[in-house]
Amino acid sequence: MSLPTSQDCILDHIAIAVKSISASQKIYEDLGMTFSGIIEEVVDQKVLTTFAQIDVNAHIELLEPTSNESAIHKFIESKGEGIHHLCFKVLNVKNKTLELSQKGYKFIYPEPRIGAGGCLVNFIHPKSTGGVLIEISQRPQI
Ligand code: ZN
């Protein structure tokens, strides 16, 4: 699966904050999606995460907090379960962070971090994007 070089921004996943991956998985399975079967712990984010493929590029990501300190726990406490962020795949997260910062966008992290699946990620603050938390992500170099 390769990224078309002409397009430096494609939908990678829609992330949904859930109390329980096993309970929520069923909703998407009933819709006809198949989960990878892999539940990964992202220690940095204090979450469990699992993905189901939607199409050739896009996935549904379910995020379950592993701690009351998790941002996902706090999100569920204040807003309830639901869409947490959109993630777009870009060719170079570091460059995109720099480029957008220069345009005045605020990021959650000053430098990209390692996220689920070993991807390099950063998050644009919802205050910069009309209330939508946007993740930008770059596949690990193989
Ligand atoms: Zn994500």
Side-chain angles (χ1 to χ4, degrees):
M1 202 166 15
S2 66
L3 197 62
T5 47
S6 58
Q7 199 186 348
D8 183 21
C9 185
I10 54 170
L11 180 65
D12 185 77
H13 61 266
I14 300 161
I16 299 166
V18 302
K19 291 178 183 166
S20 157
I21 282 179
S22 54
S24 300
Q25 221 171 274
K26 189 183 178 305
I27 299 161
Y28 300 94
E29 286 170 349
D30 286 348
L31 274 164
M33 292 176 208
T34 306
F35 282 84
S36 64
I38 299 163
I39 295 176
E40 182 186 353
E41 182 173 9
V42 183
V43 178
D44 192 40
Q45 307 283 341
K46 300 182 180 69
V47 291
L48 297 175
T49 175
T50 190
F51 289 88
Q53 195 96 28
I54 299 171
D55 63 24
V56 67
N57 293 307
H59 308 77
I60 286 285
E61 176 183 29
L62 301 181
L63 291 165
E64 176 187 323
T66 55
S67 153
N68 290 355
E69 299 303 306
S70 166
I72 298 302
H73 175 80
K74 290 169 189 162
F75 178 90
I76 293 171
E77 286 286 288
S78 69
K79 297 182 179 168
E81 294 178 296
I83 293 178
H84 182 260
H85 65 266
L86 301 180
C87 177
F88 297 98
K89 190 71 76 188
V90 299
L91 293 174
N92 187 313
V93 166
K94 211 176 159 74
N95 290 352
K96 191 61 99 178
T97 299
L98 205 65
E99 177 195 324
L100 291 175
S101 295
Q102 284 165 353
K103 288 181 179 169
Y105 290 87
K106 301 287 175 231
F107 280 81
I108 304 289
Y109 307 125
E111 289 288 327
R113 294 187 179 192
I114 302 292
C119 290
L120 203 55
V121 305
N122 206 344
F123 290 86
I124 311 173
H125 198 286
K127 281 183 182 156
S128 294
T129 57
V132 182
L133 179 61
I134 295 177
E135 178 181 17
I136 53 172
S137 169
Q138 175 187 347
R139 280 210 180 81
Q141 304 295 325
I142 303 160

